[in-house]
Amino acid sequence: QLQLVESGGGLAQPGGSLRLSCSASKVTYGHYVVGWFRQAPGKEREGVSCIGRSNEYTDYGDSVKGRFTIYRDNAKNTVYLQMDSLKAEDTADYYCAARRHPWDMCVMQDYEYDYWGQGARVTVSS
């Protein structure tokens, strides 16, 4: 079983920045692909970003492309989501998720992931 712990949520003003972290319990974290998903009140869960087993393959949802950056430090067993130019519509609970994958790629369908973090609340408001 892979345990994921999220941190870094909080309150930001429009145009501000936050960085979320997703830390894993195993040193083999580099064997897992990781996705970030979010869910706002009254909305369906939405894929935000994902990253392959290295920093070479990444993907982003259209709503965050150009504003968010996903990257990983496998030596620290951590994946990060840097969120810049935040908008009010970014307000949501953010979840990281992981699955073991044999290739350096990823997808943003939530049903493809086996392990989930506890969620981190992000609020963007003036």
Side-chain angles (χ1 to χ4, degrees):
Q1 287 268 315
L2 182 68
Q3 302 292 326
L4 303 177
V5 178
E6 301 178 34
S7 62
L11 176 66
Q13 294 184 340
S17 298
L18 288 172
R19 188 180 73 169
L20 301 180
S21 299
C22 181
S23 297
S25 60
K26 294 186 177 181
V27 298
T28 55
Y29 200 27
H31 294 172
Y32 293 80
V33 300
V34 175
W36 285 95
F37 301 84
R38 68 185 182 186
Q39 189 163 24
K43 303 287 187 178
E44 294 185 351
R45 188 157 55 193
E46 174 189 21
V48 176
S49 184
C50 69
I51 189 166
R53 294 169 59 182
S54 73
N55 284 291
E56 298 302 312
Y57 188 98
T58 59
D59 199 10
Y60 299 89
D62 289 340
S63 62
V64 307
K65 195 168 298 182
R67 299 188 297 118
F68 291 8
T69 303
I70 189 170
Y71 60 101
R72 66 192 302 161
D73 186 342
N74 288 338
K76 297 181 179 179
N77 294 341
T78 301
V79 171
Y80 304 92
L81 184 68
Q82 178 68 43
M83 303 183 292
D84 297 320
S85 302
L86 284 164
K87 304 176 180 179
E89 49 262 47
D90 295 318
T91 296
D93 291 332
Y94 284 72
Y95 300 87
C96 67
R99 67 163 290 170
R100 184 178 284 269
H101 201 284
W103 303 305
D104 193 7
M105 62 168 292
C106 64
V107 296
M108 287 190 289
Q109 288 82 32
D110 55 4
Y111 55 80
E112 294 285 353
Y113 291 86
D114 303 308
Y115 306 100
W116 290 80
Q118 81 281 5
R121 179 156 293 180
V122 171
T123 302
V124 183
S125 176
S126 59

